[in-house]
Amino acid sequence: MTNRQERAMAGERAMAELLPGYLRDVPRQGHIYGTLSYNRRSKCWTIKGEPCVTEMAKRLFPGSERRRGEARFTANRRIVGDVNWLMLRYPLEIAARDRALWEKALDQAREHARQRELAARLPARVTPPEGTFVGELRDFQKEGAAFLMANPRTLLADEMGLGKTVQALACLAATGELPALIVVPPHLMRNWEAEIARFLRVHGSAPRICVLSGLKPYAPPEADVYIIHYLLLRGWKQALPEMGFRAVVFDEMQELRHAGTEKYSAASLLAERCERVIGLSGTPIYNRGAEIWNVVNILDFHCLGDWESFTREWCDGYGNHIVRNPALLGEHLRREGLILRRTKQEVLRELPPKRRLVQEIDSDDKVYRELMRPVMEMLGSLSALHPEARERALLEEQISRGERQATGVAKAPFVAAFVRALLDGGERVLLFAHHHAVMDIYKRELSAYKPAFITGRETTDQKERSVARFMNGETNLCTVSLRSAAGLNLQRASCVVFGELDWSPAVHSQAEDRAHRMGQQDSILCYYLVAPQGSDRDMQDALGLKVSQFVALMGDRTPDMMDAQNGQKAAKAHIETLLRHYRDEKG
């Protein structure tokens, strides 16, 4: 026997050791109790046979109940294993036209069982190969990437701020499963595009990214990663499964918690055709059975059985939506490799006390252009002034204020959508802004959360009442003016969100410290939300927020007066840039 043959036999023995006993071949001799056939319309395996076997099937698997002398089983790889186990006791004749289909289904069940066994033996942490990924992962993120690699159809449900996006990209980098499709809420499309370009590499170069748009499908250019938002899925329902994606990532997967919609149906068809399906959600739903069943059903069809069986066994009865023992269900999902969740408290030692993250969000171009009309007129007046004119400084201030407000108003609805996701995830948010017009939009968009406001327009009593409402847990959202934050004690917050930026780093540092104070036990995450147009880009550079990463970007030092002077210089330089663009356009 050659060395190659010996190695092959050793490999076969190792694979056989991984295979549990209930998946071994069914003996062909002895009494045959009935038949096993496949119903292509309902996608299920059907046993028709003697009462002893159908009665046993219905007693062991209540969801299999149908008419007398018949039992049905969903064609899920876990359930196929159960059917094979039943056939070891009650051998069945497989219909001739379905034999090849059964062998394929049984192979998939066996492969799944081997993968579950191998998952326990794989490295606990994974680092993507050199040249495929840019950036450093923390240890818990390496563990998350390893979990995603070991479980091809799973939900990463880490608490917000722990880097689910970067873990998913690390998994794609390590497996090379491209092209991939990323399905996201509309307000996160720009951020995903930026993060993919920042972290992922294909053959050492930046990946080709294609953003799909419109409800009418078309032939998109060849790319490594495609991005689409949930509202477009219904239009692309038939096209996406045929585009050859190897992997799909559903960000904020709680978007699919309601079945019966075209969006849900499109996601289900898409997931069925992909080798790897990754769900990301900081707000997994354990207590409402309908919702968690719908979510994991996209990942792996009927992995929790059919809806009737699930509600009967896990909930309070047929069709009931409340899970009787959420902790037990969570343990089952984790054991099956269907979910991984870590909280900030669990990984707190790996996190710095304060983390800053730049998040790119969308804005309304039409609103921005409309609000910039008077600003452009002022730029025309500024262009005509002598450089030493006395009124120049006042006009520059008006231009800066007008452009900042246009930037803030245009992105305000998208900022509100981002904050809404944080609040739904259980975060306690301080939302900072500068302009009253912007805060009025937040008030309207986030009214359901009964936010507290400290905007400079309140009396002393009203301000104290707003602080008390937030600190006493009457609301999880407090909107604060950037210039009204001094002296406030709001350490109950777990997140700080800057919906608008200021030129001075000192203003931001003071705002962050409203939450990051003595008595704060959490790791504070500070989101800087920047729009692709307007003043945000130059302000971002002035603040030193140049890249998005999962470590502190500006450090924890206290800004001094030099920072304030630099902020003023940066603001003036920005006006000069606007003026040059204005003159160039006027030719």
Side-chain angles (χ1 to χ4, degrees), residues 82-99:
D82 294 338
V83 174
N84 195 76
W85 172 72
L86 183 65
M87 289 168 62
L88 289 171
R89 171 62 180 88
Y90 298 99
L92 302 170
E93 179 68 30
I94 300 171
R97 69 167 191 157
D98 297 327
R99 284 175 189 161

Side-chain angles (χ1 to χ4, degrees), residues 12-281:
E12 290 175 2
R13 285 195 298 271
M15 294 301 286
E17 290 174 3
L18 294 174
L19 196 64
Y22 69 88
L23 285 170
R24 68 178 186 267
D25 289 333
V26 174
R28 295 186 179 277
Q29 70 273 14
H31 182 67
I32 302 298
Y33 289 83
T35 62
L36 177 69
S37 61
Y38 185 69
N39 187 314
R40 285 160 174 78
R41 176 175 295 181
S42 57
K43 296 182 179 179
C44 65
W45 289 97
T46 302
I47 293 176
K48 292 182 180 180
E50 298 177 15
C52 61
V53 66
T54 55
E55 186 272 337
M56 179 65 76
K58 293 171 184 177
R59 186 147 46 93
L60 292 173
F61 310 103
S64 67
E65 292 183 8
R66 287 298 182 271
R67 63 178 67 92
R68 180 185 299 173
E70 180 180 316
R72 290 188 180 183
F73 297 81
T74 301
N76 173 276
R77 54 194 176 179
R78 292 175 175 83
I79 295 175
V80 165
D82 294 338
V83 174
N84 195 76
W85 172 72
L86 183 65
M87 289 168 62
L88 289 171
R89 171 62 180 88
Y90 298 99
L92 302 170
E93 179 68 30
I94 300 171
R97 69 167 191 157
D98 297 327
R99 284 175 189 161
L101 195 61
W102 171 256
E103 290 299 326
K104 181 179 179 181
L106 188 57
D107 284 344
Q108 290 174 343
R110 287 168 171 168
E111 181 58 28
H112 171 70
R114 291 190 187 101
Q115 285 181 352
R116 298 299 314 126
E117 182 62 31
L118 282 171
R121 307 184 186 189
L122 289 174
R125 297 171 182 167
V126 165
T127 301
E130 188 174 347
T132 65
F133 186 81
V134 178
E136 288 191 20
L137 299 173
R138 297 188 179 277
D139 284 345
F140 75 87
Q141 292 170 335
K142 294 176 182 177
E143 292 167 2
F147 179 85
L148 293 178
M149 290 180 66
N151 299 281
R153 309 179 81 85
T154 192
L155 176 66
L156 180 60
D158 283 351
E159 204 169 52
M160 284 191 172
L162 298 186
K164 293 185 291 294
T165 299
V166 77
Q167 292 176 71
L169 292 176
C171 175
L172 293 180
T175 62
E177 290 173 332
L178 303 174
L181 176 68
I182 314 295
V183 185
V184 304
H187 69 280
L188 293 179
M189 290 187 70
R190 287 186 183 273
N191 186 69
W192 266 96
E193 190 174 1
E195 299 294 85
I196 292 165
R198 183 170 294 125
F199 289 110
L200 203 58
R201 291 294 177 268
V202 178
H203 304 305
S205 302
R208 298 167 298 171
I209 303 171
C210 175
V211 178
L212 301 176
S213 59
L215 284 168
K216 187 175 181 179
Y218 54 87
E222 188 174 327
D224 301 303
V225 184
Y226 296 79
I227 305 174
I228 191 171
H229 66 69
Y230 282 103
L231 300 180
L232 300 184
L233 282 182
R234 60 187 177 89
W236 289 74
K237 179 177 177 178
Q238 303 302 327
L240 291 176
E242 304 303 322
M243 289 176 64
F245 299 118
R246 296 184 61 192
V248 59
V249 177
F250 292 105
D251 190 23
E252 301 296 344
M253 199 179 182
Q254 69 274 10
E255 291 272 344
L256 299 175
R257 65 187 181 275
H258 301 301
T261 65
E262 283 294 297
K263 175 175 70 174
Y264 188 90
S265 176
S268 181
L269 290 174
L270 172 63
E272 190 178 316
R273 297 292 291 273
C274 292
E275 301 169 29
R276 186 173 298 277
V277 182
I278 298 173
L280 306 177
S281 175

